[in-house]
């Protein structure tokens, strides 16, 4: 059985990769590719799942259409304000949704390991730094915010995040733990955006048929231990 999919933001950097990777996947059938002027409601009845890699401003209306038609949703878009995120979470209550700031396997392992190190290395200072390409609209990255949230849930307080925008860097994240005597660094380098696309498509196949609820990539990959990370 194939999973029927609509890709929103299909002409963007991520969207083009999602279309390419979905075409290569025999378990997926593309029902629609949506750009900013297209009408999602015209095609949505024919799909199992909608994938959103658009802009922070566009996600809510896409989510409302998915919720009205009771379709599963995967949200990769980042940069939502707290108010946008709350409105979004309210809108998707009745459907299964995977929301993740980062769909790569390596970053989700980084989320998992960061939680463990934050628990073990309690006396250390923590800082996060991230570097991305100059076209990225949001700063800090959604992934850096997720990493900060993981450490803050364990330690309290605020974790400083440093953002750099240079060249065509796909995405680098480092979490540094330091005492006056030693430093432990956890670093992930995304080498190809296809890692996010393949992860999002894996999430799309996973989420169809799940009960209504908000899931993240830790659920998809079976890495979940306690609180949400992503
Ligand atoms: N979660 C992850 O793993 C992950 C990884 C990478 C990127 N991201 C995030 O994914 C998002 C997209 O990144 P990107 O680099 O692909 O950006 P991008 O190249 O700017 O592409 C965004 C696309 O969304 C389209 N769009 C805007 N409003 C739309 C609407 N209402 N319906 C359908 N399409 C719409 C835009 O079309 P127009 O040009 O016509 O406006 C544009 O083609 C960003 O928020 C980024 O941070 C997430």
């Amino acid at each position: 059985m194939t999973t029927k999919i609509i890709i929103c933001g299909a002409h963007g950097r991520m969207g083009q990769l999602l279309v390419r990777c979905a075409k290569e996947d025999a378990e997926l059938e593309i029902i629609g590719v949506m750009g900013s002027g297209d009408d999602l409601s015209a095609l949505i009845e024919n799909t199992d799942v909608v994938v959103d890699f658009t802009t922070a401003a566009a996600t809510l209306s896409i989510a409302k259409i998915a919720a009205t038609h009771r379709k599963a949703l995967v949200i990769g878009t980042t940069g939502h304000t707290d108010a946008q995120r709350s409105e979004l979470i309210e809108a998707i209550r009745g459907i299964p949704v995977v929301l993740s700031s980062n769909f790569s396997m390596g970053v989700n392992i980084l989320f998992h390991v960061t939680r463990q190190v934050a628990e073990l290395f309690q006396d250390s200072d923590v800082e996060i730094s991230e570097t991305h390409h100059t076209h990225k609209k949001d700063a800090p990255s959604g992934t850096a915010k997720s990493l900060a949230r993981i450490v803050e849930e364990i330690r309290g307080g605020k974790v400083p995040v440093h953002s750099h925008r240079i060249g065509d860097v796909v995405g680098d994240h480092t979490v540094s733990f330091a005492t006056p005597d030693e430093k432990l660094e956890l670093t992930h380098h995304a080498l190809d955006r296809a890692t996010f696309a393949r992860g999002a498509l894996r999430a799309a196949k996973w989420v169809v048929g799940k009960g209504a609820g908000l899931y993240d990539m830790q659920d998809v990959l079976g890495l979940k231990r306690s609180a949400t990370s992503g």
Side-chain angles (χ1 to χ4, degrees):
M1 264 273 283
T2 56
T3 300
K4 296 183 174 128
I5 184 172
I6 291 178
I7 297 164
C8 293
H11 312 304
R13 265 178 300 273
M14 279 305 303
Q16 291 177 45
L17 272 173
L18 283 156
V19 172
R20 198 188 81 200
C21 293
K23 281 182 179 162
E24 289 166 4
D25 188 332
E27 294 171 4
L28 289 171
E29 181 187 348
I30 300 176
I31 297 297
V33 291
M34 300 279 146
S36 53
D38 297 327
D39 180 13
L40 174 60
S41 40
L43 283 183
I44 196 166
E45 266 315 316
N46 303 327
T47 199
D48 297 315
V49 57
V50 176
V51 176
D52 165 62
F53 276 75
T54 58
T55 63
T59 305
L60 182 63
S61 61
I62 290 167
K64 282 183 175 168
I65 296 169
T68 302
H69 293 264
R70 304 234 159 243
K71 297 295 179 180
L73 178 63
V74 172
I75 301 173
T77 306
T78 63
H80 304 108
T81 62
D82 289 347
Q84 282 174 325
R85 194 176 162 99
S86 307
E87 239 188 315
L88 187 57
I89 286 168
E90 189 56 39
I92 57 182
R93 269 188 199 293
I95 54 171
V97 178
V98 181
L99 170 65
S100 180
S101 58
N102 197 305
F103 282 97
S104 89
M105 171 74 101
V107 159
N108 281 277
I109 293 170
L110 177 64
F111 288 152
H112 190 72
V113 173
T114 296
R115 182 176 293 112
Q116 290 180 321
V117 176
E119 284 169 354
L120 289 169
F121 210 170
Q122 286 280 348
D123 295 335
S124 58
D125 295 328
V126 190
E127 286 199 357
I128 292 165
S129 71
E130 56 101 351
T131 305
H132 282 85
H133 55 92
T134 49
H135 304 290
K136 185 165 177 61
K137 294 193 175 97
D138 52 325
S141 67
T143 304
K145 289 202 257 183
S146 298
L147 287 163
R149 198 159 53 234
I150 288 168
V151 177
E152 288 161 5
E153 276 169 13
I154 293 163
R155 305 280 192 91
K158 270 307 230 188
V159 174
V161 179
H162 308 284
S163 299
H164 309 277
R165 296 288 172 264
I166 186 166
D168 195 31
V169 178
V170 175
D172 296 341
H173 292 87
T174 296
V175 189
S176 304
F177 297 84
T179 69
D181 305 326
E182 58 181 333
K183 182 153 97 171
L184 171 63
E185 289 191 331
L186 304 173
T187 296
H188 177 270
H189 299 287
L191 303 178
D192 188 325
R193 287 182 183 89
T195 186
F196 310 127
R198 292 202 186 92
L201 295 175
R202 179 170 174 167
K205 288 188 268 186
W206 179 90
V207 75
V208 173
K210 292 283 180 298
L214 185 56
Y215 304 96
D216 62 28
M217 203 53 189
Q218 305 276 295
D219 294 301
V220 177
L221 297 174
L223 292 171
K224 199 62 161 264
R225 216 183 62 191
S226 55
T228 177
S229 59

